[in-house]
Amino acid sequence: TQLLEQSPQFLSIQEGENLTVYCNSSSVFSSLQWYRQEPGEGPVLLVTVVTGGEVKKLKRLTFQFGDARKDSSLHITAAQPGDTGLYLCAGGATDKLIFGTGTRLQVFP
Amino acid sequence: NAGVTQTPKFQVLKTGQSMTLQCAQDMNHNSMYWYRQDPGMGLRLIYYSASEGTTDKGEVPNGYNVSRLNKREFSLRLESAAPSQTSVYFCASSLRMNEKLFFGSGTQLSVL
């Protein structure tokens, strides 16, 4: 069974702080997607990484896919209250997409 | 742009009752999915339809049935609701299987 573990589960920080969220597995994935979900809404795709070692930046968010394509990280610089939400990683395998359990981030003004 | 529309937004059922959750997408996507989301368990795939005319079981299909009515619509039916089916249900669609999913806003279902 392929599992994606995310850490930390919960994170509460002040506006302006930096943070990193991790997504780890013992399995190799062909791609890794990151979604953000706000309360009462469905997840929204932020980015897809497909190459081992790949780094993608989306404004203050930096996504990295591990060299072995088993893990990924999301780094947020100078977090803002608008970054509050549930962050989900999802690993693409041959015929399935496996979602992690999520990291719930709250950024206080 | 409507994207993925699912109804209803909220539903309360008694054990044993049946209901159908409706989902429609207007992006001409080939693949559609039904997920359930429970605290601490992430998103789990119930059923999916890789393309119009096909449906397949996901990770947790027991107690559910689906119909891909046409390319736009994919419904999820609970024939005899159980308290274990209390959850938030999401419909999603994508142009290609498992790539860039677009989600609806969810249905919060409580089974008493």
Side-chain angles (χ1 to χ4, degrees):
Chain A
T1 303
Q2 293 174 295
L3 295 173
L4 268 173
E5 296 184 0
Q6 288 188 241
S7 61
Q9 271 190 293
F10 302 96
L11 196 52
S12 293
I13 60 172
Q14 293 292 130
E15 182 176 2
E17 291 185 26
N18 301 331
L19 67 116
T20 302
V21 173
Y22 299 93
C23 175
N24 294 300
S25 175
S26 57
S27 303
V28 175
F29 292 102
S30 57
S31 66
L32 206 295
Q33 302 173 28
W34 282 94
Y35 292 80
R36 179 170 64 211
Q37 183 179 15
E38 298 185 14
E41 298 296 328
V44 175
L45 181 69
L46 297 173
V47 78
T48 301
V49 285
V50 297
T51 306
E54 182 176 2
V55 176
K56 278 192 175 179
K57 290 192 174 185
L58 190 66
K59 296 185 180 178
R60 294 174 295 100
L61 278 61
T62 302
F63 304 85
Q64 185 162 9
F65 201 11
D67 291 340
R69 290 185 287 128
K70 293 182 178 181
D71 55 85
S72 182
S73 63
L74 158 60
H75 182 79
I76 302 180
T77 304
Q80 298 178 1
D83 296 326
T84 292
L86 178 68
Y87 288 81
L88 295 161
C89 63
T94 308
D95 60 350
K96 61 184 74 171
L97 189 65
I98 310 294
F99 277 87
T101 50
T103 293
R104 192 167 296 280
L105 171 66
Q106 185 150 20
V107 182
F108 292 97
Chain B
N1 291 335
V4 178
T5 304
Q6 45 177 126
T7 57
K9 184 79 172 170
F10 301 95
Q11 184 71 49
V12 179
L13 294 177
K14 293 182 180 179
T15 296
Q17 287 185 318
S18 61
M19 78 160 296
T20 300
L21 280 64
Q22 307 286 352
C23 176
Q25 52 90 10
D26 63 1
M27 296 173 282
N28 201 35
H29 283 171
N30 295 306
S31 302
M32 297 186 74
Y33 318 79
W34 277 104
Y35 286 90
R36 59 178 289 173
Q37 186 174 38
D38 302 290
M41 302 194 74
L43 284 162
R44 291 184 293 169
L45 183 63
I46 305 170
Y47 269 94
Y48 65 98
S49 172
S51 60
E52 185 180 0
T54 69
T55 60
D56 283 289
K57 295 179 180 180
E59 183 185 354
V60 288
N62 291 346
Y64 306 94
N65 283 299
V66 291
S67 295
R68 183 75 183 264
L69 304 169
N70 48 56
K71 192 171 186 179
R72 290 186 64 247
E73 298 172 286
F74 189 40
S75 62
L76 178 72
R77 183 160 178 84
L78 286 71
E79 289 291 352
S80 179
S84 60
Q85 294 178 305
T86 293
S87 187
V88 181
Y89 291 84
F90 287 98
C91 176
S93 71
S94 64
L95 185 61
R96 285 176 290 275
M97 189 68 186
N98 291 330
E99 291 184 11
K100 193 173 183 180
L101 272 60
F102 288 79
F103 286 83
S105 56
T107 296
Q108 190 165 331
L109 175 67
S110 294
V111 183
L112 306 177

